[in-house]
Amino acid sequence: MSQEALARQPNRSSGDAPTYRAWFQCIAGCPGTYELNEIIYQCPKCGNLLEVAHDLDLLRQNSPGQWMALFDMRYRGTEWPYGSSVWGKKEMVCPNVDNRNIVSTYEGGSNLFWAERLGREIGLEDLWMKLCGNSHTGSFKDLGMTVLVSMVKQMISEGVPIQAVACASTGDTSASLAAYCAAAGIQAIVFLPRHKVSVPQLIQPLAHGALTLSLDTDFDGCMKLVQEICAKNNIYLANSMNSLRLEGQKTISIELVQQFDWDIPDVVIVPGGNLGNISAIGRGFLLLRNLGIISRLPRLVCAQAERANPLYRSYLTGFRKYKPIKAKKTLASAIQIGNPVSVQKAIKVLKEFDGIVEQATEEELANSAAHADRTGLYNCPHTGVALAVLSKLVKRGVIGPRDRVVVISTAHGLKFADFQLRYHSRRLRGIESRHSNLPVELPARADRIMETIVRRLEKP
Ligand SMILES: *Cc1c(COP(=O)(O)O)cnc(C)c1O
Ligand SMILES: [Zn+2]
């Protein structure tokens, strides 16, 4: 098929048989497949999570070169919905949604750049930052949410009686769900742990008209409640145990490879909480390799906060043991999760990638984020966890000075201004703010200003 024909072809009018096929199946390998428009999150036979599987034979009908050319042709264009880097890869993400039901705010296509100065300062020649938080709602959760909400819109259009979509969240999932539901005209319900999300994260669902439940518990508590409520009512569950979202998150790795002209980096580091993303990123690379688009895999690193580190503890046992924990309060609030839903998916992927799990303390994450800010980045605390882990692995020689390393920055730093303000005003308890910088308050007089400038230039 010519590229143009292929590019046009997903614009089928509804009713045509889909050309590409994807379905849910059990991650533990139980027989049975389920349609993506079924309301089902767990294997009815064993209770494990489901994953989305694609008909690889159909995808292989295109050569690697044809896929690359098609994706490049669509990338950041304006032919709706393919300019979105999620829907630009629709055939490999969710071919089952009609274009007229897609709810998109032009996801992906996020900045990937050489962090030259930071790399030099920590001993790397080839460090890259991928700013996945430069997105509609300020976090990388938009990548998956566009897929989930589009499928819900499709199901509603097919007559499935869904009255609302709900999620438990540490702040970013709820912001994203609220925005996409608002765009689609669907009621969103978000379950938030009280006082554990940032001010912008609380305002976002409110602004979008979501029913915002501020609950006297932590994320894991919210998760339990939302599952209970979704199981019994016509409310669709939007948490990442619903693997539709991971299909969208998977485009992080596809887009990354695309941005490197279809070459792969040596190491990819991502902060992990509920662990859907580390598994989605892994699955994206595996899919590309299965289709012959790449020939080797990068090393995957999952970075956890020391105060919410169940996967790290399991890693220390070679993944032979795993036990959920009670997460302690961490500045990296979006990954303050002790009982991650996708832990088994993450372990499976990390084993395939010879993956690494490393942790960062509060002090390390705060100072790593601030150090990187000094080099022109602007980091959320979770990206701080990834950066702190990066420094440790470089010092330990696990990552070599010439390795091409990509840090996945997961949220926009501006969503966490309160963290930065407290850091710079030295109000983070127990943390020495090594890169603190505060406004200098002066009378409006040129001589005093000049004195201050001279002092700073002498002693930066
Ligand atoms: C959700 C989130 C993560 C972690 O992703 P998981 O899939 O839960 O591991 C990291 N950083 C930010 C900012 C997030 O919102
Ligand atoms: Zn099963």
Side-chain angles (χ1 to χ4, degrees):
M1 196 185 301
S2 78
Q3 278 158 40
E4 283 70 22
L6 188 60
R8 271 197 309 275
Q9 176 238 341
N11 283 315
R12 292 169 287 108
S13 59
S14 69
D16 291 359
T19 309
Y20 294 94
R21 292 202 325 113
W23 58 85
F24 288 127
Q25 65 186 28
C26 171
I27 59 165
C30 296
T33 61
Y34 313 91
E35 295 297 320
L36 296 189
N37 59 1
E38 261 184 71
I39 302 186
I40 184 168
Y41 317 110
Q42 276 154 313
C43 172
K45 302 191 175 85
C46 74
N48 263 299
L49 293 186
L50 302 173
E51 64 188 2
V52 175
H54 292 264
D55 187 328
L56 292 177
D57 288 336
L58 287 175
L59 290 172
R60 283 200 192 98
Q61 287 178 5
N62 276 321
S63 68
Q66 282 173 314
W67 283 122
M68 294 186 264
L70 176 68
F71 292 167
D72 284 343
M73 183 180 77
R74 291 173 175 171
Y75 191 64
R76 302 192 72 165
T78 47
E79 193 198 341
W80 192 88
Y82 305 108
S84 155
S85 187
V86 171
W87 296 107
K89 283 121 186 132
K90 183 180 179 188
E91 296 83 353
M92 296 182 188
V93 171
C94 189
N96 314 38
V97 172
D98 286 336
N99 280 355
R100 68 191 161 87
N101 286 322
I102 285 178
V103 185
S104 170
T105 63
Y106 202 81
E107 301 73 25
S110 58
N111 320 30
L112 171 70
F113 61 88
W114 182 34
E116 181 184 5
R117 182 172 166 205
L118 178 63
R120 194 166 355 102
E121 291 182 9
I122 63 177
L124 285 175
E125 285 175 18
D126 207 8
L127 171 63
W128 294 71
M129 295 295 296
K130 176 133 180 77
L131 301 192
C132 295
N134 285 8
S135 181
H136 179 54
T137 71
S139 90
F140 71 160
K141 298 291 200 288
D142 292 345
L143 298 167
M145 204 54 80
T146 180
V147 178
L148 182 135
V149 174
S150 299
M151 183 52 87
V152 171
K153 190 170 173 203
Q154 169 114 356
M155 289 158 76
I156 291 173
S157 80
E158 291 166 353
V160 181
I162 295 173
Q163 290 184 301
V165 185
C167 73
S169 178
T170 52
D172 287 329
T173 297
S174 40
S176 190
L177 177 67
Y180 282 87
C181 280
I186 298 168
Q187 180 67 49
I189 307 173
V190 307
F191 291 54
L192 294 176
R194 195 177 306 158
H195 304 314
K196 292 188 178 77
V197 306
S198 75
V199 172
Q201 286 174 326
L202 177 63
I203 298 296
Q204 284 177 293
L206 293 172
H208 295 308
L211 172 58
T212 303
L213 307 171
S214 176
L215 303 174
D216 188 15
T217 178
D218 59 5
F219 170 80
D220 295 302
C222 290
M223 190 65 222
K224 226 187 261 162
L225 286 163
V226 77
Q227 280 181 254
E228 189 183 324
I229 287 183
C230 289
K232 290 187 205 127
N233 300 284
N234 290 332
I235 300 174
Y236 192 73
L237 179 62
N239 279 98
S240 58
M241 62 184 298
N242 184 329
S243 52
L244 284 171
R245 273 180 51 207
L246 302 188
E247 289 308 288
Q249 300 297 136
K250 172 182 93 177
T251 61
I252 294 171
S253 26
I254 305 177
E255 178 176 305
L256 187 56
V257 171
Q258 178 176 19
Q259 286 174 308
F260 282 124
D261 294 324
W262 304 101
D263 197 3
I264 67 152
D266 299 305
V267 182
V268 176
I269 304 186
V270 62
N274 226 2
L275 305 177
N277 276 286
I278 183 76
S279 45
I281 289 169
R283 280 166 44 90
F285 286 120
L286 290 171
L287 177 67
L288 292 180
R289 194 182 58 172
N290 269 335
L291 297 176
I293 294 172
I294 58 174
S295 53
R296 61 190 176 103
L297 298 173
R299 196 113 195 248
L300 282 188
V301 180
C302 183
Q304 289 213 296
E306 185 206 34
R307 298 174 68 82
N309 64 354
L311 185 69
Y312 176 71
R313 292 175 192 219
S314 173
Y315 174 73
L316 294 181
T317 72
F319 295 126
R320 274 182 292 277
K321 288 192 197 137
Y322 167 74
K323 203 163 82 243
I325 62 166
K326 174 100 185 142
K328 296 195 218 107
K329 190 167 174 57
T330 166
L331 293 164
S333 50
I335 55 175
Q336 187 179 323
I337 296 175
N339 186 12
V341 164
S342 296
V343 65
Q344 295 310 333
K345 288 184 180 177
I347 289 176
K348 188 169 152 189
V349 152
L350 285 165
K351 282 181 175 167
E352 276 194 68
F353 281 75
D354 188 19
I356 298 171
V357 186
E358 184 50 80
Q359 64 177 0
T361 64
E362 298 297 288
E363 168 108 36
E364 288 166 342
L365 77 87
N367 279 312
S368 293
H371 172 214
D373 289 354
R374 282 291 182 100
T375 70
L377 304 176
Y378 194 57
N379 295 291
C380 72
H382 325 89
T383 306
V385 172
L387 291 168
V389 161
L390 170 65
S391 293
K392 283 187 184 180
L393 296 178
V394 171
K395 281 201 194 104
R396 213 181 287 156
V398 176
I399 294 177
R402 267 170 293 280
D403 285 349
R404 172 167 285 181
V405 180
V406 179
V407 173
I408 306 295
S409 175
T410 51
H412 201 295
L414 287 172
K415 277 184 116 169
F416 298 87
D418 182 56
F419 155 70
Q420 282 116 357
L421 179 63
R422 282 162 62 214
Y423 178 89
H424 287 285
S425 50
R426 302 180 191 280
R427 283 191 285 117
L428 292 176
R429 222 183 310 138
I431 291 175
E432 188 203 336
S433 302
R434 283 192 277 117
H435 308 280
S436 161
N437 187 28
L438 285 170
V440 183
E441 290 181 7
L442 291 175
R445 275 178 35 199
D447 56 339
R448 295 288 305 280
I449 294 170
M450 206 48 226
E451 261 171 51
T452 307
I453 292 172
V454 167
R455 230 180 300 129
R456 173 65 69 100
L457 291 178
E458 281 168 353
K459 207 163 44 103

PDB file of all heavy atoms in Angstrom, residues 226-251:
ATOM      1  N   VAL A 226     -11.898   3.888  44.461  1.00  0.00           N
ATOM      2  CA  VAL A 226     -12.387   4.112  43.095  1.00  0.00           C
ATOM      3  C   VAL A 226     -12.681   2.773  42.420  1.00  0.00           C
ATOM      4  O   VAL A 226     -13.656   2.641  41.674  1.00  0.00           O
ATOM      5  CB  VAL A 226     -11.411   4.988  42.278  1.00  0.00           C
ATOM      6  CG1 VAL A 226     -10.195   4.216  41.811  1.00  0.00           C
ATOM      7  CG2 VAL A 226     -12.118   5.601  41.079  1.00  0.00           C
ATOM      8  N   GLN A 227     -11.910   1.771  42.717  1.00  0.00           N
ATOM      9  CA  GLN A 227     -12.166   0.445  42.132  1.00  0.00           C
ATOM     10  C   GLN A 227     -13.496  -0.104  42.626  1.00  0.00           C
ATOM     11  O   GLN A 227     -14.272  -0.667  41.870  1.00  0.00           O
ATOM     12  CB  GLN A 227     -11.047  -0.535  42.513  1.00  0.00           C
ATOM     13  CG  GLN A 227      -9.817  -0.386  41.663  1.00  0.00           C
ATOM     14  CD  GLN A 227      -8.740  -1.382  42.062  1.00  0.00           C
ATOM     15  OE1 GLN A 227      -7.753  -1.032  42.679  1.00  0.00           O
ATOM     16  NE2 GLN A 227      -8.932  -2.638  41.722  1.00  0.00           N
ATOM     17  N   GLU A 228     -13.747   0.096  43.921  1.00  0.00           N
ATOM     18  CA  GLU A 228     -14.994  -0.400  44.499  1.00  0.00           C
ATOM     19  C   GLU A 228     -16.187   0.285  43.826  1.00  0.00           C
ATOM     20  O   GLU A 228     -17.162  -0.361  43.447  1.00  0.00           O
ATOM     21  CB  GLU A 228     -14.974  -0.106  46.002  1.00  0.00           C
ATOM     22  CG  GLU A 228     -16.097  -0.751  46.767  1.00  0.00           C
ATOM     23  CD  GLU A 228     -16.041  -0.343  48.244  1.00  0.00           C
ATOM     24  OE1 GLU A 228     -14.921  -0.190  48.787  1.00  0.00           O
ATOM     25  OE2 GLU A 228     -17.123  -0.171  48.841  1.00  0.00           O
ATOM     26  N   ILE A 229     -16.074   1.585  43.643  1.00  0.00           N
ATOM     27  CA  ILE A 229     -17.210   2.328  43.097  1.00  0.00           C
ATOM     28  C   ILE A 229     -17.407   2.044  41.609  1.00  0.00           C
ATOM     29  O   ILE A 229     -18.532   1.891  41.142  1.00  0.00           O
ATOM     30  CB  ILE A 229     -17.026   3.823  43.419  1.00  0.00           C
ATOM     31  CG1 ILE A 229     -17.306   3.966  44.919  1.00  0.00           C
ATOM     32  CG2 ILE A 229     -17.932   4.700  42.558  1.00  0.00           C
ATOM     33  CD1 ILE A 229     -17.270   5.309  45.473  1.00  0.00           C
ATOM     34  N   CYS A 230     -16.312   1.909  40.880  1.00  0.00           N
ATOM     35  CA  CYS A 230     -16.445   1.628  39.442  1.00  0.00           C
ATOM     36  C   CYS A 230     -16.968   0.218  39.190  1.00  0.00           C
ATOM     37  O   CYS A 230     -17.651  -0.028  38.204  1.00  0.00           O
ATOM     38  CB  CYS A 230     -15.115   1.818  38.733  1.00  0.00           C
ATOM     39  SG  CYS A 230     -14.649   3.550  38.638  1.00  0.00           S
ATOM     40  N   ALA A 231     -16.659  -0.705  40.082  1.00  0.00           N
ATOM     41  CA  ALA A 231     -17.079  -2.094  39.858  1.00  0.00           C
ATOM     42  C   ALA A 231     -18.597  -2.224  39.879  1.00  0.00           C
ATOM     43  O   ALA A 231     -19.160  -3.077  39.206  1.00  0.00           O
ATOM     44  CB  ALA A 231     -16.458  -3.002  40.919  1.00  0.00           C
ATOM     45  N   LYS A 232     -19.265  -1.380  40.658  1.00  0.00           N
ATOM     46  CA  LYS A 232     -20.704  -1.578  40.863  1.00  0.00           C
ATOM     47  C   LYS A 232     -21.584  -0.617  40.081  1.00  0.00           C
ATOM     48  O   LYS A 232     -22.793  -0.710  40.121  1.00  0.00           O
ATOM     49  CB  LYS A 232     -21.018  -1.398  42.356  1.00  0.00           C
ATOM     50  CG  LYS A 232     -20.456  -2.535  43.197  1.00  0.00           C
ATOM     51  CD  LYS A 232     -20.907  -2.435  44.641  1.00  0.00           C
ATOM     52  CE  LYS A 232     -19.921  -3.120  45.559  1.00  0.00           C
ATOM     53  NZ  LYS A 232     -19.472  -2.269  46.650  1.00  0.00           N
ATOM     54  N   ASN A 233     -21.016   0.346  39.406  1.00  0.00           N
ATOM     55  CA  ASN A 233     -21.840   1.383  38.790  1.00  0.00           C
ATOM     56  C   ASN A 233     -21.429   1.577  37.335  1.00  0.00           C
ATOM     57  O   ASN A 233     -20.453   0.999  36.883  1.00  0.00           O
ATOM     58  CB  ASN A 233     -21.687   2.692  39.581  1.00  0.00           C
ATOM     59  CG  ASN A 233     -22.116   2.513  41.033  1.00  0.00           C
ATOM     60  OD1 ASN A 233     -23.289   2.461  41.329  1.00  0.00           O
ATOM     61  ND2 ASN A 233     -21.149   2.363  41.934  1.00  0.00           N
ATOM     62  N   ASN A 234     -22.167   2.403  36.641  1.00  0.00           N
ATOM     63  CA  ASN A 234     -21.831   2.663  35.237  1.00  0.00           C
ATOM     64  C   ASN A 234     -20.761   3.749  35.137  1.00  0.00           C
ATOM     65  O   ASN A 234     -20.913   4.723  34.421  1.00  0.00           O
ATOM     66  CB  ASN A 234     -23.081   3.085  34.463  1.00  0.00           C
ATOM     67  CG  ASN A 234     -24.043   1.921  34.301  1.00  0.00           C
ATOM     68  OD1 ASN A 234     -23.620   0.761  34.271  1.00  0.00           O
ATOM     69  ND2 ASN A 234     -25.324   2.221  34.201  1.00  0.00           N
ATOM     70  N   ILE A 235     -19.732   3.542  35.909  1.00  0.00           N
ATOM     71  CA  ILE A 235     -18.642   4.514  35.929  1.00  0.00           C
ATOM     72  C   ILE A 235     -17.392   3.792  35.438  1.00  0.00           C
ATOM     73  O   ILE A 235     -17.036   2.722  35.942  1.00  0.00           O
ATOM     74  CB  ILE A 235     -18.436   5.077  37.351  1.00  0.00           C
ATOM     75  CG1 ILE A 235     -19.729   5.770  37.810  1.00  0.00           C
ATOM     76  CG2 ILE A 235     -17.258   6.036  37.382  1.00  0.00           C
ATOM     77  CD1 ILE A 235     -19.691   6.233  39.245  1.00  0.00           C
ATOM     78  N   TYR A 236     -16.755   4.374  34.437  1.00  0.00           N
ATOM     79  CA  TYR A 236     -15.613   3.720  33.799  1.00  0.00           C
ATOM     80  C   TYR A 236     -14.339   4.112  34.534  1.00  0.00           C
ATOM     81  O   TYR A 236     -14.134   5.275  34.892  1.00  0.00           O
ATOM     82  CB  TYR A 236     -15.546   4.173  32.338  1.00  0.00           C
ATOM     83  CG  TYR A 236     -14.608   3.371  31.475  1.00  0.00           C
ATOM     84  CD1 TYR A 236     -14.921   2.078  31.077  1.00  0.00           C
ATOM     85  CD2 TYR A 236     -13.420   3.933  31.029  1.00  0.00           C
ATOM     86  CE1 TYR A 236     -14.063   1.353  30.257  1.00  0.00           C
ATOM     87  CE2 TYR A 236     -12.552   3.225  30.210  1.00  0.00           C
ATOM     88  CZ  TYR A 236     -12.886   1.930  29.835  1.00  0.00           C
ATOM     89  OH  TYR A 236     -12.032   1.229  29.024  1.00  0.00           O
ATOM     90  N   LEU A 237     -13.481   3.134  34.775  1.00  0.00           N
ATOM     91  CA  LEU A 237     -12.264   3.362  35.567  1.00  0.00           C
ATOM     92  C   LEU A 237     -11.108   3.802  34.671  1.00  0.00           C
ATOM     93  O   LEU A 237     -10.757   3.117  33.716  1.00  0.00           O
ATOM     94  CB  LEU A 237     -11.898   2.073  36.305  1.00  0.00           C
ATOM     95  CG  LEU A 237     -10.637   2.103  37.156  1.00  0.00           C
ATOM     96  CD1 LEU A 237     -10.764   3.119  38.284  1.00  0.00           C
ATOM     97  CD2 LEU A 237     -10.342   0.721  37.725  1.00  0.00           C
ATOM     98  N   ALA A 238     -10.513   4.928  35.009  1.00  0.00           N
ATOM     99  CA  ALA A 238      -9.464   5.489  34.141  1.00  0.00           C
ATOM    100  C   ALA A 238      -8.063   5.271  34.683  1.00  0.00           C
ATOM    101  O   ALA A 238      -7.104   5.828  34.153  1.00  0.00           O
ATOM    102  CB  ALA A 238      -9.715   6.982  33.927  1.00  0.00           C
ATOM    103  N   ASN A 239      -7.908   4.504  35.735  1.00  0.00           N
ATOM    104  CA  ASN A 239      -6.545   4.287  36.229  1.00  0.00           C
ATOM    105  C   ASN A 239      -5.762   3.391  35.290  1.00  0.00           C
ATOM    106  O   ASN A 239      -6.322   2.747  34.417  1.00  0.00           O
ATOM    107  CB  ASN A 239      -6.563   3.746  37.654  1.00  0.00           C
ATOM    108  CG  ASN A 239      -6.757   4.887  38.637  1.00  0.00           C
ATOM    109  OD1 ASN A 239      -7.872   5.125  39.084  1.00  0.00           O
ATOM    110  ND2 ASN A 239      -5.692   5.620  38.900  1.00  0.00           N
ATOM    111  N   SER A 240      -4.450   3.348  35.522  1.00  0.00           N
ATOM    112  CA  SER A 240      -3.611   2.676  34.525  1.00  0.00           C
ATOM    113  C   SER A 240      -3.699   1.160  34.630  1.00  0.00           C
ATOM    114  O   SER A 240      -3.092   0.446  33.844  1.00  0.00           O
ATOM    115  CB  SER A 240      -2.168   3.153  34.604  1.00  0.00           C
ATOM    116  OG  SER A 240      -1.661   2.934  35.893  1.00  0.00           O
ATOM    117  N   MET A 241      -4.470   0.655  35.584  1.00  0.00           N
ATOM    118  CA  MET A 241      -4.785  -0.776  35.496  1.00  0.00           C
ATOM    119  C   MET A 241      -5.641  -1.013  34.254  1.00  0.00           C
ATOM    120  O   MET A 241      -5.730  -2.125  33.752  1.00  0.00           O
ATOM    121  CB  MET A 241      -5.496  -1.277  36.757  1.00  0.00           C
ATOM    122  CG  MET A 241      -6.816  -0.627  37.039  1.00  0.00           C
ATOM    123  SD  MET A 241      -7.500  -1.219  38.596  1.00  0.00           S
ATOM    124  CE  MET A 241      -7.694  -2.958  38.252  1.00  0.00           C
ATOM    125  N   ASN A 242      -6.252   0.054  33.766  1.00  0.00           N
ATOM    126  CA  ASN A 242      -6.913   0.024  32.466  1.00  0.00           C
ATOM    127  C   ASN A 242      -5.823   0.220  31.416  1.00  0.00           C
ATOM    128  O   ASN A 242      -5.297   1.315  31.235  1.00  0.00           O
ATOM    129  CB  ASN A 242      -7.936   1.154  32.413  1.00  0.00           C
ATOM    130  CG  ASN A 242      -8.728   1.136  31.132  1.00  0.00           C
ATOM    131  OD1 ASN A 242      -8.219   0.722  30.088  1.00  0.00           O
ATOM    132  ND2 ASN A 242      -9.966   1.584  31.199  1.00  0.00           N
ATOM    133  N   SER A 243      -5.467  -0.843  30.738  1.00  0.00           N
ATOM    134  CA  SER A 243      -4.244  -0.792  29.935  1.00  0.00           C
ATOM    135  C   SER A 243      -4.385   0.010  28.644  1.00  0.00           C
ATOM    136  O   SER A 243      -3.398   0.193  27.935  1.00  0.00           O
ATOM    137  CB  SER A 243      -3.735  -2.202  29.648  1.00  0.00           C
ATOM    138  OG  SER A 243      -4.765  -2.984  29.114  1.00  0.00           O
ATOM    139  N   LEU A 244      -5.568   0.534  28.364  1.00  0.00           N
ATOM    140  CA  LEU A 244      -5.680   1.424  27.200  1.00  0.00           C
ATOM    141  C   LEU A 244      -4.739   2.610  27.337  1.00  0.00           C
ATOM    142  O   LEU A 244      -4.141   3.068  26.364  1.00  0.00           O
ATOM    143  CB  LEU A 244      -7.116   1.954  27.084  1.00  0.00           C
ATOM    144  CG  LEU A 244      -8.160   0.981  26.551  1.00  0.00           C
ATOM    145  CD1 LEU A 244      -9.548   1.575  26.717  1.00  0.00           C
ATOM    146  CD2 LEU A 244      -7.877   0.666  25.081  1.00  0.00           C
ATOM    147  N   ARG A 245      -4.610   3.100  28.568  1.00  0.00           N
ATOM    148  CA  ARG A 245      -3.742   4.269  28.758  1.00  0.00           C
ATOM    149  C   ARG A 245      -2.292   3.945  28.432  1.00  0.00           C
ATOM    150  O   ARG A 245      -1.559   4.774  27.903  1.00  0.00           O
ATOM    151  CB  ARG A 245      -3.868   4.782  30.192  1.00  0.00           C
ATOM    152  CG  ARG A 245      -5.021   5.758  30.318  1.00  0.00           C
ATOM    153  CD  ARG A 245      -5.172   6.274  31.721  1.00  0.00           C
ATOM    154  NE  ARG A 245      -3.948   6.786  32.284  1.00  0.00           N
ATOM    155  CZ  ARG A 245      -3.691   6.812  33.593  1.00  0.00           C
ATOM    156  NH1 ARG A 245      -4.562   6.354  34.458  1.00  0.00           N
ATOM    157  NH2 ARG A 245      -2.551   7.287  34.032  1.00  0.00           N
ATOM    158  N   LEU A 246      -1.878   2.731  28.777  1.00  0.00           N
ATOM    159  CA  LEU A 246      -0.474   2.392  28.545  1.00  0.00           C
ATOM    160  C   LEU A 246      -0.144   2.354  27.051  1.00  0.00           C
ATOM    161  O   LEU A 246       1.000   2.578  26.660  1.00  0.00           O
ATOM    162  CB  LEU A 246      -0.133   1.065  29.218  1.00  0.00           C
ATOM    163  CG  LEU A 246      -0.380   1.044  30.732  1.00  0.00           C
ATOM    164  CD1 LEU A 246       0.157  -0.236  31.335  1.00  0.00           C
ATOM    165  CD2 LEU A 246       0.241   2.249  31.424  1.00  0.00           C
ATOM    166  N   GLU A 247      -1.152   2.101  26.224  1.00  0.00           N
ATOM    167  CA  GLU A 247      -0.908   2.128  24.777  1.00  0.00           C
ATOM    168  C   GLU A 247      -0.491   3.529  24.333  1.00  0.00           C
ATOM    169  O   GLU A 247       0.370   3.698  23.473  1.00  0.00           O
ATOM    170  CB  GLU A 247      -2.149   1.665  24.017  1.00  0.00           C
ATOM    171  CG  GLU A 247      -2.423   0.191  24.165  1.00  0.00           C
ATOM    172  CD  GLU A 247      -1.202  -0.651  23.823  1.00  0.00           C
ATOM    173  OE1 GLU A 247      -0.854  -0.742  22.642  1.00  0.00           O
ATOM    174  OE2 GLU A 247      -0.593  -1.213  24.750  1.00  0.00           O
ATOM    175  N   GLY A 248      -1.107   4.531  24.912  1.00  0.00           N
ATOM    176  CA  GLY A 248      -0.710   5.898  24.580  1.00  0.00           C
ATOM    177  C   GLY A 248       0.654   6.244  25.168  1.00  0.00           C
ATOM    178  O   GLY A 248       1.498   6.860  24.506  1.00  0.00           O
ATOM    179  N   GLN A 249       0.886   5.807  26.410  1.00  0.00           N
ATOM    180  CA  GLN A 249       2.177   6.114  27.052  1.00  0.00           C
ATOM    181  C   GLN A 249       3.332   5.436  26.303  1.00  0.00           C
ATOM    182  O   GLN A 249       4.456   5.937  26.298  1.00  0.00           O
ATOM    183  CB  GLN A 249       2.165   5.639  28.515  1.00  0.00           C
ATOM    184  CG  GLN A 249       1.099   6.256  29.401  1.00  0.00           C
ATOM    185  CD  GLN A 249       1.194   7.756  29.612  1.00  0.00           C
ATOM    186  OE1 GLN A 249       0.189   8.453  29.555  1.00  0.00           O
ATOM    187  NE2 GLN A 249       2.372   8.271  29.823  1.00  0.00           N
ATOM    188  N   LYS A 250       3.018   4.337  25.675  1.00  0.00           N
ATOM    189  CA  LYS A 250       4.016   3.593  24.912  1.00  0.00           C
ATOM    190  C   LYS A 250       4.626   4.419  23.774  1.00  0.00           C
ATOM    191  O   LYS A 250       5.756   4.166  23.337  1.00  0.00           O
ATOM    192  CB  LYS A 250       3.282   2.358  24.367  1.00  0.00           C
ATOM    193  CG  LYS A 250       3.954   1.490  23.404  1.00  0.00           C
ATOM    194  CD  LYS A 250       2.996   0.368  22.981  1.00  0.00           C
ATOM    195  CE  LYS A 250       2.232   0.747  21.716  1.00  0.00           C
ATOM    196  NZ  LYS A 250       1.349  -0.342  21.240  1.00  0.00           N
ATOM    197  N   THR A 251       3.884   5.405  23.314  1.00  0.00           N
ATOM    198  CA  THR A 251       4.406   6.210  22.205  1.00  0.00           C
ATOM    199  C   THR A 251       5.616   7.039  22.620  1.00  0.00           C
ATOM    200  O   THR A 251       6.312   7.585  21.767  1.00  0.00           O
ATOM    201  CB  THR A 251       3.334   7.151  21.610  1.00  0.00           C
ATOM    202  OG1 THR A 251       2.892   8.064  22.618  1.00  0.00           O
ATOM    203  CG2 THR A 251       2.157   6.354  21.069  1.00  0.00           C
TER     204      THR A 251
END
